[in-house]
Amino acid sequence: MSSLYEQLGGEPTIELLVTKFYHRVLADPMLAPMFDGIDPDRLEQHQRRFLAVALGGPNAYQGRDLTSAHAHIARRHGLSDLHFDAVLKHLAATLRALNADESAIAQVMTIAESTRSMVLGRSAQAAVA
């Protein structure tokens, strides 16, 4: 059986997904301030690598665990479930815009939801071992 990464179209799709996803996120007035001062190219590169691993693709992710990576946003902007839900909404909308299968979208959303505690700093467990 192929991985979710492969089902979605592999590297080209993940690259397009991340680019379009951040267009949506950065256009969201609630979320955009959280990315002030962050290099968007570097952010997208990390997100592409992280998603590849999370969706069963190649492991080239060398970033920090999710708790550490989001700690400064949590401190500076009060990162909350409201923000996380907005990000999930943009992720699902982006996948739908790319004509992803609803079953694949549901699987991606389950994986994304599984990171909530780590992103919001409720767990020190690393997301990628």
Side-chain angles (χ1 to χ4, degrees), residues 1-4 6-7 107:
M1 176 178 256
S2 62
S3 69
L4 186 52
E6 292 166 341
Q7 290 173 37
Q107 291 176 65

Side-chain angles (χ1 to χ4, degrees), residues 6 14 18 30-31 49 53 58 60 74 83 98-99 120 125 129:
E6 292 166 341
I14 297 304
V18 169
M30 180 177 65
L31 299 174
R49 289 177 179 169
V53 174
H83 300 107
L98 294 175
N99 297 315
L120 297 179
Q125 178 182 357

Side-chain angles (χ1 to χ4, degrees), residues 5 8-23 44-45 47-49 51-52 55 94 98:
Y5 176 84
L8 289 169
E11 183 179 352
T13 300
I14 297 304
E15 189 167 323
L16 185 59
L17 168 66
V18 169
T19 298
K20 292 189 174 292
F21 167 72
Y22 277 113
H23 283 215
E44 286 188 24
Q45 179 183 31
Q47 187 66 37
R48 282 192 302 272
R49 289 177 179 169
L51 278 176
L55 301 177
T94 305
L98 294 175

Side-chain angles (χ1 to χ4, degrees), residues 2-118:
S2 62
S3 69
L4 186 52
Y5 176 84
E6 292 166 341
Q7 290 173 37
L8 289 169
E11 183 179 352
T13 300
I14 297 304
E15 189 167 323
L16 185 59
L17 168 66
V18 169
T19 298
K20 292 189 174 292
F21 167 72
Y22 277 113
H23 283 215
R24 289 176 184 267
V25 167
L26 295 175
D28 185 322
M30 180 177 65
L31 299 174
M34 296 185 177
F35 296 91
D36 287 344
I38 296 175
D39 177 5
D41 293 331
R42 185 168 184 241
L43 181 67
E44 286 188 24
Q45 179 183 31
H46 278 287
Q47 187 66 37
R48 282 192 302 272
R49 289 177 179 169
F50 178 78
L51 278 176
V53 174
L55 301 177
N59 187 353
Y61 184 74
Q62 297 177 355
R64 297 173 287 170
D65 66 82
L66 290 177
T67 301
S68 298
H70 293 88
H72 69 285
I73 297 172
R75 282 191 307 271
R76 191 178 318 148
H77 298 283
L79 189 59
S80 70
D81 286 298
L82 182 67
H83 300 107
F84 194 88
D85 291 341
V87 167
L88 290 184
K89 178 185 81 168
H90 291 303
L91 180 58
T94 305
L95 286 161
R96 285 189 180 94
L98 294 175
N99 297 315
D101 177 86
E102 285 297 321
S103 172
I105 293 171
Q107 291 176 65
V108 171
M109 300 312 292
T110 298
I111 292 166
E113 181 62 46
S114 75
T115 69
R116 182 182 295 264
S117 291
M118 290 174 277

